[in-house]
Amino acid sequence: MSHLVTDELLKQVSKPARYLGTEWNAVHKDWDENPAHMVFIYPDLYEVGMSHLGLAILYGAVNEQPGMLLERAFAPAPDMEDLLREKGIPLFSLESHRPLTDFDVVGFTLQYEMSYTTILNILDLAGLPLLAAERGPGHPLVVGGGPGVANPEPVAPFFDCFLLGDGEEALPELLALMGRLKKEGWAHDRREVLARIAALPGFYVPSFYDVTYNTDGTVAAVVPNRDGIPARVTKRVLPDLDAAYFPTRPIVPFLEVIHDRIMLEVMRGCTHGCRFCQAGAIYRPVRERDLAVLLGQAEELVRHTGHEEISLTSLSTADYSRVEELARTLAAAYEDRGVSVSLPSLRVDAFSVRLAEAVQRVRKSSLTFAPEAGSQRLRDVINKGVTEDDILTATAEAFQAGWQAIKLYFMLGLPTEGEEDLLGIAGLARRILHQGRELAPGKKPTVTVSVSSFVPKAWTAFQWEPQDVVKVLQEKQQLLRSHLKGPGLRFSWHDARVSFIEAVLARGDRRLAAAIMAAWRRGARLEGWSEYFRYDCWEEAFEETGLDPAFYAHRQRQEGEVFPWDHLDFGVVKGFLLRERHRARAGELTADCRSGRCTGCGVCPDLGVDLRLKGGPVDRAPAGEV
Ligand code: SF4
């Protein structure tokens, strides 16, 4: 243990195991023998960060390479933060307990917008200047990755560079470059280092691009400000997951974390094409892992972790071509060893329920579905591809199989939503409850309706749409609440003010960095936790900086508008998204390219990658009309 983290310090905080770094399978590489050093930071508490599969993958992918090491750090809990500030101790990595400033690269994963103030807090606790422009030769490079880089512009001034897309190959390439630059004596020259990084595929250096604005405040252009910098940066994509690194010796935490189980990634990407879904767009195309590869990985994971549950993870696991074979084989193989199989994301259909029933050794108390909208009209607008029949058949199957609690997820404030769509949510919940009482007589079925608020995101068909103002969202929540009273019905909702800030940041530009900084200075941090979210910090921050949050969240954007993220390329073409927007308005469904024809999103030709399905002879969707 380094001198920074003493027994005395750990005795004064709750859950000291968050800061130990000596968990089962943690990697402690020799600092001097591995000249390229990176710390990967999940900007939230340990329990959240250690549930993140991306961290486990990149931790292993870098540490298995000679000459480089990757350690972890997380946001300290408030009690630890107070102590660090009081005693003047800089934030440290877990494995070697070194200050973050000792590393060559400080990497953050941008999982959600509400972590941005926490990122600033971590930089401050590390003793690093917040703005990239203020960092000098002795400072580490601050790198960002993850889904937030779909539009990193609001945090661009804080970062030296971003990695777009899959990191398994790209991150070791970055560290290999850093190792070379250190050896050649260039590491002190920040501009030279950044120029060399910008030449690596998938890396975006925001300071090499100038943003100009129109008089109405919209972006006029984002253009490179030096020679040799690409006009657009294209995301990295692994064409074949079977050939990619996957961690089979992940770290097993000492304390309970959010997802305390094996996460077996069966595929990456989703082809459903829900029009609000950013993940469904930016992780395309779908690449499945081979069944034999997955079975081999599962065996090693069970052996090396001692976990009692294998979770088959992806954006939509029931879509995996051989999901039934995989789930049943794993359930049978590990039943005797007390290891169960779970499907975290159920599709709204009877097949998913039957599969969950067949493989889940321990019957969970509730089953969750996400119809997203309460009427067929609105479900068609968002391209959900689910009918009321599908929903009722799935819930009937669940009640018959013995589940008594059903949870339903919906989104409020979707484009074109009216009162009848909202009342449709309550009506559907009541029909399901009635069904439960009929199918499970003598039992006490419950239906919980959980609503979030629609946040328009970059790279979706709804990226042009305004978000409902907070008051309207609250009125909609109130309306639903009044219609979801009575025995057996439950209602929960998210704070609409959080969704509003999320919407401001999700489609914001570089000017918003000033507001993020002002909000942090006023005490905003750990805002993914409702108990720490402080709306007043944001209200004051917008006032101080003169930035109008409504301009970002509530404005109807013009179809010809240049977006702050237009110089980034995630493969999906803007013309496709625009067409999807028009189809949404017309209530037209667009087919899933997994089983039908290619619907022309542009990802496969743009990135030179095909769909990789493992279910049959057709490995690629044929080209054709929607
Ligand atoms: S290019 Fe076609 S096949 Fe490829 S992900 Fe897009 S819609 Fe599907």
Side-chain angles (χ1 to χ4, degrees):
M1 191 180 288
S2 91
H3 66 283
L4 287 182
V5 184
T6 58
D7 286 351
E8 200 47 47
L9 182 79
L10 294 176
K11 270 187 209 158
Q12 295 176 64
V13 295
S14 62
K15 301 190 183 178
R18 284 168 170 159
Y19 312 103
L20 289 176
T22 50
E23 308 96 315
W24 187 252
N25 290 335
V27 178
H28 294 258
K29 287 182 89 170
D30 187 275
W31 187 266
D32 298 319
E33 282 174 16
N34 296 279
H37 310 127
M38 174 170 174
V39 57
F40 183 104
I41 304 170
Y42 193 100
D44 207 320
L45 299 182
Y46 176 93
E47 296 90 312
V48 182
M50 283 306 293
S51 305
H52 177 54
L53 181 59
L55 164 56
I57 292 174
L58 296 175
Y59 187 75
V62 171
N63 282 327
E64 70 155 18
Q65 304 282 338
M68 55 187 76
L69 64 80
L70 189 141
E71 300 192 356
R72 294 164 294 151
F74 301 92
D79 60 348
M80 178 59 109
E81 179 182 339
D82 289 347
L83 270 181
L84 294 179
R85 290 193 186 279
E86 185 191 311
K87 296 181 183 300
I89 301 172
L91 188 61
F92 48 84
S93 69
L94 259 59
E95 280 75 3
S96 64
H97 287 162
R98 286 173 188 270
L100 304 190
T101 43
D102 277 8
F103 292 81
D104 304 308
V105 178
V106 168
F108 287 94
T109 180
L110 276 55
Q111 289 295 312
Y112 49 102
E113 291 82 0
M114 300 315 290
S115 70
Y116 293 170
T117 50
T118 307
I119 290 173
L120 295 192
N121 204 40
I122 289 172
L123 290 175
D124 183 61
L125 283 166
L128 274 165
L130 303 187
L131 292 167
E134 289 175 1
R135 294 196 279 266
H139 291 128
L141 283 175
V142 178
V143 182
V149 298
N151 176 27
E153 291 304 287
V155 286
F158 310 126
F159 282 83
D160 294 292
C161 67
F162 294 102
L163 165 61
L164 276 51
D166 298 328
E168 287 96 328
E169 291 175 354
L171 213 49
E173 282 171 27
L174 172 70
L175 289 172
L177 173 68
M178 291 305 290
R180 278 200 306 280
L181 289 170
K182 278 172 91 172
K183 211 167 158 187
E184 292 165 13
W186 281 106
H188 64 282
D189 185 338
R190 240 175 149 77
R191 293 290 286 179
E192 176 63 23
V193 170
L194 289 175
R196 302 273 284 270
I197 290 173
L200 292 176
F203 283 89
Y204 163 50
V205 178
S207 59
F208 289 167
Y209 294 78
D210 287 336
V211 186
T212 51
Y213 299 93
N214 298 309
T215 49
D216 65 0
T218 56
V219 172
V222 184
V223 288
N225 56 24
R226 55 185 280 160
D227 292 340
I229 300 299
R232 290 191 89 201
V233 181
T234 304
K235 79 162 180 177
R236 292 289 291 263
V237 62
L238 293 172
D240 180 6
L241 288 196
D242 289 337
Y245 171 83
F246 191 77
T248 51
R249 286 178 181 266
I251 296 170
V252 183
F254 288 138
L255 69 156
E256 196 178 332
V257 295
I258 307 276
H259 298 311
D260 216 353
R261 49 192 175 239
I262 289 170
M263 286 178 280
L264 189 64
E265 187 192 33
V266 300
M267 63 179 184
R268 210 168 283 179
C270 177
T271 48
H272 274 291
C274 296
R275 291 174 176 135
F276 57 83
C277 182
Q278 184 184 62
I282 64 171
Y283 290 112
R284 282 188 174 205
V286 161
R287 290 144 291 154
E288 295 186 339
R289 280 203 165 89
D290 195 77
L291 183 72
V293 170
L294 290 169
L295 293 175
Q297 290 174 345
E299 175 58 29
E300 283 195 57
L301 281 158
V302 169
R303 195 148 26 97
H304 294 142
T305 65
H307 281 305
E308 292 173 351
E309 183 180 340
I310 304 171
S311 173
L312 305 181
T313 53
S314 77
L315 290 171
S316 180
T317 297
D319 290 335
Y320 172 61
S321 300
R322 301 177 73 176
V323 65
E324 186 160 8
E325 204 177 341
L326 173 67
R328 285 182 188 275
T329 307
L330 289 175
Y334 298 110
E335 195 177 3
D336 291 348
R337 286 149 79 175
V339 179
S340 66
V341 176
S342 68
L343 301 151
S345 52
L346 283 193
R347 229 168 35 194
V348 191
D349 61 18
F351 166 76
S352 299
V353 180
R354 280 198 292 270
L355 194 56
E357 185 196 354
V359 300
Q360 283 184 4
R361 198 168 48 92
V362 184
R363 184 62 43 90
K364 296 273 161 61
S365 52
S366 69
L367 215 50
T368 304
F369 301 99
E372 312 285 5
S375 71
Q376 195 56 50
R377 185 200 68 79
L378 194 50
R379 283 194 294 273
D380 290 349
V381 166
I382 63 175
N383 203 41
K384 188 67 193 171
V386 165
T387 65
E388 177 145 334
D389 258 7
D390 295 330
I391 302 167
L392 292 174
T393 310
T395 50
E397 194 80 35
F399 286 125
Q400 278 159 345
W403 275 284
Q404 289 172 48
I406 300 291
K407 276 190 190 163
L408 302 170
Y409 281 123
F410 295 94
M411 221 178 266
L412 293 188
L414 285 162
T416 79
E417 181 184 71
E419 194 171 314
E420 65 282 11
D421 303 304
L422 297 172
L423 297 180
I425 294 176
L428 183 60
R430 286 187 183 283
R431 282 194 287 286
I432 292 171
L433 185 63
H434 178 72
Q435 182 189 50
R437 286 178 178 148
E438 289 209 318
L439 291 172
K443 305 265 174 64
K444 287 192 174 165
T446 59
V447 176
T448 302
V449 169
S450 180
V451 295
S452 61
S453 301
F454 165 64
V455 176
K457 297 263 180 170
W459 298 101
T460 69
F462 292 154
Q463 61 183 350
W464 290 270
E465 307 300 340
Q467 187 188 48
D468 276 347
V469 299
V470 170
K471 190 165 172 294
V472 169
L473 288 170
Q474 288 170 338
E475 283 166 5
K476 289 180 174 180
Q477 289 171 350
Q478 193 51 42
L479 177 82
L480 261 183
R481 203 173 162 187
S482 66
H483 281 82
L484 284 166
K485 289 192 168 139
L489 288 172
R490 315 241 190 289
F491 180 57
S492 71
W493 64 95
H494 289 287
D495 188 337
R497 298 169 309 169
V498 176
S499 306
F500 170 49
I501 302 301
E502 224 182 298
V504 172
L505 300 175
R507 294 180 300 166
D509 54 52
R510 287 187 191 183
R511 293 169 296 191
L512 279 173
I516 298 170
M517 203 148 36
W520 166 72
R521 287 225 162 87
R522 282 169 167 75
R525 67 206 57 179
L526 292 178
E527 297 184 283
W529 299 80
S530 54
E531 60 265 48
Y532 299 129
F533 174 67
R534 286 192 36 204
Y535 190 54
D536 58 321
C537 292
W538 286 99
E539 286 179 310
E540 288 167 22
F542 291 129
E543 201 173 313
E544 178 196 316
T545 54
L547 291 160
D548 177 12
F551 172 81
Y552 297 102
H554 301 143
R555 183 172 56 87
Q556 174 77 66
R557 298 184 184 212
Q558 299 303 308
E559 291 197 344
E561 186 171 329
V562 175
F563 290 142
W565 54 92
D566 276 355
H567 58 300
L568 308 179
D569 180 8
F570 280 80
V572 175
V573 293
K574 208 169 179 179
F576 169 79
L577 296 174
L578 207 49
R579 200 170 73 215
E580 280 298 290
R581 177 178 195 237
H582 296 158
R583 291 175 75 84
R585 296 273 158 189
E588 289 173 15
L589 292 172
T590 296
D592 182 334
C593 66
R594 167 184 284 275
S595 53
R597 292 192 164 276
C598 168
T599 52
C601 80
V603 162
C604 296
D606 193 27
L607 303 178
V609 183
D610 285 343
L611 289 183
R612 271 189 187 253
L613 308 179
K614 300 296 170 88
V618 181
D619 226 20
R620 184 175 190 284
E625 290 305 305
V626 174

